[in-house]
């Protein structure tokens, strides 16, 4: 099970480290290794969130996320994204931006760093919306009941999460953005515009995917018992091929496509702090792409592992811990517009929150006499992924 799930990650790690050692020697090998660990520590909560969404999708779209999605994550966000940011902020052509990244790394790093307020505002508000929508939603299981119960009651007010996010953005633009870090000066307008763009992106992509998901569920309810029987037969056939029942009847078509886009935007938002933080270690774009890419592979493998093992069903507070970690990351991103916060602190906050939620889940299972992982709840992604 372990080798099947993490096999590709192990192989990419060996090849990546060998390539780093061959191109840049022992120093390059160490830098790539450190970047990989940095990415894993910062994005662990991302795997939990991804797993919660991925298990809703059918086998085909799970494969798309784990193949095409990893290409977007590694090459798009870790290699192309910083160059695009430089091209836009410095008003350069694509070739000029690439040339700058290769031949004037110090200036390239300076330009990417100067774009941090816009990046942090976009990603911070997007992630904050994920956290707020989770917090304001009524749920069967409550981890921190003293917080979640009153928040769920407040969540009955329409658009409350949007209102809170806009208030946070307004406060951010009037405080930390007025004197951004690294001598960037007043970035209030930039932060306000980027934050609104992050909010709009969340509402559009999340809203469309939610619309098609609800529509699909309504159609399934209308189909009746005949289609239910047909779905069960398809599920049994898929189980024989190594695909889970949940995956076989999961989201498909337009619903899955927009859910895939939603996942990619989430992944992009999570990767912002990793890309910016990587400049504290190196300004070589290829070292960054290689190290962060290896880390991203492990996050994808961990996502598969959580889906296959049915971990989120067995440990019901894990999603709570991951969403609280998202909320913390969102606030940290906004604070870093003015103040520098170590990536170690960012990573530890996420790991601690998820660890505490896991221990709470274990304690709950013991109180209720449930095993840690029931065979019946196991879900598997299509074999060979």
């Amino acid at each position: 099970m372990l080798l099947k799930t993490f096999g590709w990650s192990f192989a990419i790690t060996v090849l990546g480290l060998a390539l780093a050692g061959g191109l840049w020697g022992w120093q390059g090998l160490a830098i790539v290794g450190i970047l990989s660990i940095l990415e894993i520590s910062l994005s662990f909560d991302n795997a939990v969130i991804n797993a919660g969404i991925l298990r809703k999708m059918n086998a085909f779209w799970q494969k798309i996320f784990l193949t095409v999605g990893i290409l977007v994550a590694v090459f798009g966000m870790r290699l192309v994204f910083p160059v695009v940011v430089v091209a836009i902020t410095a008003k350069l052509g694509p070739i000029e931006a690439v040339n700058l990244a290769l031949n004037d790394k110090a200036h390239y790093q300076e330009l990417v760093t100067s774009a941090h307020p816009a990046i942090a505002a976009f990603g911070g508000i997007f992630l904050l919306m994920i956290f707020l929508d989770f917090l304001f939603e009524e749920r069967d299981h409550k981890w921190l009941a003293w917080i979640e119960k009153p928040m769920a009651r407040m969540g009955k007010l329409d658009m409350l999460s949007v209102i809170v996010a806009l208030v946070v953005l307004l406060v951010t633009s009037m405080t930390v953005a007025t004197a951004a870090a690294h001598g960037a000066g007043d970035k209030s307008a930039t932060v306000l515009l980027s934050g609104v763009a992050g909010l709009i992106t969340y509402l559009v992509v999340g809203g469309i995917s939610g619309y098609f998901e609800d529509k699909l569920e309504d159609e399934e309810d209308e189909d009746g018992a005949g289609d239910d029987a047909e779905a069960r037969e398809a599920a049994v056939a898929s189980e024989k091929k190594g695909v889970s029942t949940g995956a076989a009847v999961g989201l498909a078509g337009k619903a899955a496509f927009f859910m895939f886009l939603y996942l990619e935007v989430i992944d992009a938002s999570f990767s912002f702090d990793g890309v910016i933080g990587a400049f504290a270690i190196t300004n070589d774009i290829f070292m960054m792409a290689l190290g962060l890419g290896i880390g991203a592979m492990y996050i994808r493998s961990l996502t598969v592992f959580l889906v296959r093992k049915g971990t989120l069903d067995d440990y019901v507070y894990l999603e709570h811990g991951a969403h609280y970690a998202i909320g913390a990351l969102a606030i940290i991103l906004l604070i870093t517009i003015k103040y520098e916060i170590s990536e170690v602190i960012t990573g530890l906050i996420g790991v601690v929150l998820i660890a505490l939620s896991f221990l709470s889940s274990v304690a709950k299972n013991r109180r209720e006499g449930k095993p840690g992982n029931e065979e019946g709840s196991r879900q598997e992604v299509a074999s060979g992924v």
Side-chain angles (χ1 to χ4, degrees):
M1 174 67 177
L2 186 65
L3 185 60
K4 180 180 179 181
T5 305
F6 289 89
W8 276 106
S9 296
F10 294 151
I12 294 297
T13 301
V14 172
L15 292 174
L17 293 178
L19 181 61
L23 292 176
W24 304 296
W26 289 107
Q27 182 180 6
L29 179 66
I31 290 174
V32 169
I34 292 171
L35 288 172
S36 301
I37 296 171
L38 172 69
E39 177 69 12
I40 294 171
S41 64
L42 290 175
S43 301
F44 186 82
D45 43 359
N46 192 11
V48 179
I49 300 301
N50 286 349
I53 299 173
L54 190 65
R55 62 180 175 172
K56 299 177 183 179
M57 302 164 73
N58 69 6
F60 171 78
W61 281 100
Q62 288 177 352
K63 281 188 175 182
I64 292 294
F65 174 72
L66 297 169
T67 51
V68 177
I70 193 61
L71 293 177
V72 174
V74 174
F75 295 103
M77 287 308 304
R78 276 73 179 182
L79 183 61
V80 177
F81 171 72
V83 177
V84 171
V85 167
V86 168
I88 294 174
T89 57
K91 298 180 181 178
L92 299 174
I95 297 177
E96 291 177 286
V98 172
N99 183 62
L100 185 67
L102 295 176
N103 301 314
D104 193 351
K105 296 176 183 177
H107 189 209
Y108 168 78
Q109 177 179 344
E110 180 183 341
L111 290 173
V112 173
T113 303
S114 67
H116 177 66
I119 297 171
F122 181 95
I125 294 300
F126 186 93
L127 293 177
L128 182 63
M129 282 297 299
I130 295 175
F131 170 65
L132 291 174
D133 276 350
F134 178 87
L135 192 63
F136 290 142
E137 184 178 350
E138 181 64 46
R139 297 184 174 278
D140 295 332
H141 301 288
K142 293 178 175 61
W143 181 33
L144 304 179
W146 58 278
I147 294 177
E148 295 169 16
K149 283 184 178 180
M151 291 298 102
R153 287 195 292 268
M154 292 175 60
K156 294 178 181 179
L157 297 174
D158 289 339
M159 306 300 289
L160 181 60
S161 58
V162 175
I163 295 172
V164 173
L166 286 174
V167 169
V168 170
L169 177 60
L170 185 61
V171 171
T172 301
S173 67
M174 296 173 63
T175 55
V176 295
T178 57
H182 306 289
D186 190 345
K187 292 288 185 179
S188 300
T190 299
V191 166
L192 200 58
L193 183 62
S194 299
V196 170
L199 177 62
I200 291 173
T201 301
Y202 175 84
L203 293 175
V204 171
V205 179
I208 293 175
S209 62
Y211 166 77
F212 282 112
E213 183 179 357
D214 293 340
K215 185 177 180 180
L216 182 64
E217 290 176 355
D218 292 340
E219 289 175 354
E220 288 177 349
D221 291 339
E222 293 173 0
D223 284 342
D227 283 349
D228 287 342
E230 184 177 331
R232 285 194 296 271
E233 291 177 6
V236 171
S238 296
E239 286 287 352
K240 293 179 181 179
K241 298 178 182 179
V243 182
S244 71
T245 303
V249 294
L251 297 179
K254 293 179 180 178
F257 172 72
F258 283 104
M259 190 67 74
F260 170 76
L261 292 182
Y262 180 58
L263 272 172
E264 290 304 311
V265 177
I266 289 177
D267 184 75
S269 299
F270 270 100
S271 67
F272 289 153
D273 59 331
V275 172
I276 299 299
F279 279 105
I281 301 171
T282 181
N283 55 16
D284 188 303
I285 61 171
F286 295 113
M287 282 190 187
M288 289 174 57
L290 188 57
L292 297 178
I294 291 173
M297 283 293 299
Y298 278 97
I299 295 302
R300 284 301 200 278
S301 295
L302 182 59
T303 298
V304 176
F305 180 82
L306 293 174
V307 175
R308 285 180 172 176
K309 296 290 288 183
T311 306
L312 300 185
D313 294 325
D314 297 324
Y315 303 100
V316 294
Y317 297 139
L318 268 182
E319 284 190 276
H320 294 72
H323 279 87
Y324 280 106
I326 286 178
L329 177 58
I331 298 302
I332 287 173
L333 275 173
L334 296 176
I335 292 174
T336 57
I337 292 173
K338 182 175 182 179
Y339 302 101
E340 292 189 23
I341 298 178
S342 172
E343 289 75 24
V344 174
I345 296 176
T346 305
L348 282 178
I349 289 175
V351 171
V352 168
L353 286 169
I354 292 176
L356 290 175
S357 65
F358 173 78
L359 293 175
S360 298
S361 300
V362 172
K364 180 180 186 299
N365 289 344
R366 286 177 178 173
R367 288 194 303 269
E368 297 178 355
K370 294 180 180 180
N373 185 22
E374 299 177 10
E375 186 70 23
S377 67
R378 179 173 299 172
Q379 298 184 16
E380 294 189 0
V381 186
S383 60
V385 177

